[in-house]
Amino acid sequence: MPTPNKAASVAELKDAFQSSNAAVLTEYRGLTVAQLKTLRRSLGENAQYAVVKNTLTKIAANQAGITALDDHFAGPTAVAFITGDPVESAKALRDFAKENPNLIIKAGVLDGKALSADDLKKLADLESREVLLSKLAGAFKGKQTQAAQLFQALPSKLVRTVDALRAKQAEQGGAE
């Protein structure tokens, strides 16, 4: 029978899985407390990094409807629960792992879909949401400008064509 503390831990982890956009499992073996503190700071306010017990976290993930991570609950595990932009947090984890090879990114889940370590690296290589939105807005603005120029060019081309026809008729009328 589970103790009240364990039941409370499972409920808290389940809530964390359900309220986050993404969750990333990492192995932190060999990292110091100071390094973990640095990692937590680099993740910012949009992510919570917690060292967890594998069995309780697996139960909580399953209760939250996430079964894709079951095979990755082995060894010392920590979870980054991401509530903000997952790209920024993935970049922070990737950059920290480059500087500290003891941090191993195992797997993750994004909006209910399982992600491998390679998928998380690809996610980290994306530009941030704000940059992508500004590029999209720029593309729309450029297309609108092109459309306006096209619509403006059609009547002026028509006017030039009509003028050319008039001039040609005037020449032909004067030549006869």
Side-chain angles (χ1 to χ4, degrees):
M1 180 151 175
T3 65
N5 288 342
K6 288 182 181 179
S9 294
V10 168
E12 185 179 329
L13 288 168
K14 177 185 171 189
D15 289 342
F17 274 113
Q18 289 176 332
S19 65
S20 61
N21 300 339
V24 179
L25 296 181
T26 63
E27 183 175 321
Y28 63 93
R29 186 186 325 243
L31 293 176
T32 65
V33 173
Q35 289 172 323
L36 288 174
K37 188 175 181 181
T38 303
L39 173 59
R40 285 186 176 103
R41 254 189 265 124
S42 70
L43 287 173
E45 297 176 6
N46 295 332
Q48 175 189 358
Y49 189 75
V51 174
V52 295
K53 292 186 180 257
N54 289 331
T55 306
L56 298 179
T57 308
K58 184 177 178 179
I59 292 169
N62 288 333
Q63 287 180 1
I66 300 169
T67 58
L69 301 176
D70 287 354
D71 296 339
H72 300 285
F73 290 113
T77 304
V79 182
F81 295 105
I82 303 165
T83 55
D85 186 7
V87 173
E88 288 180 25
S89 298
K91 284 182 185 192
L93 285 167
R94 178 200 60 195
D95 294 345
F96 187 85
K98 281 182 183 177
E99 295 173 15
N100 301 285
N102 287 335
L103 181 74
I104 298 169
I105 298 172
K106 294 180 179 182
V109 63
L110 174 64
D111 293 329
K113 294 185 173 92
L115 299 174
S116 67
D118 290 335
D119 293 337
L120 288 164
K121 288 176 186 173
K122 289 176 187 173
L123 182 66
D125 291 338
L126 287 177
E127 293 175 330
S128 70
R129 183 175 190 269
E130 289 77 22
V131 171
L132 291 174
L133 287 175
S134 65
K135 284 185 175 183
L136 182 64
F140 280 142
K141 184 178 178 185
K143 293 297 179 189
Q144 288 175 341
T145 303
Q146 286 176 348
Q149 290 172 349
L150 176 67
F151 291 136
Q152 190 176 19
L154 289 175
S156 64
K157 188 173 184 180
L158 177 66
V159 168
R160 286 192 303 267
T161 305
V162 169
D163 285 343
L165 284 173
R166 278 190 197 143
K168 188 175 182 180
Q169 285 177 348
E171 273 181 27
Q172 288 175 352
E176 292 178 34

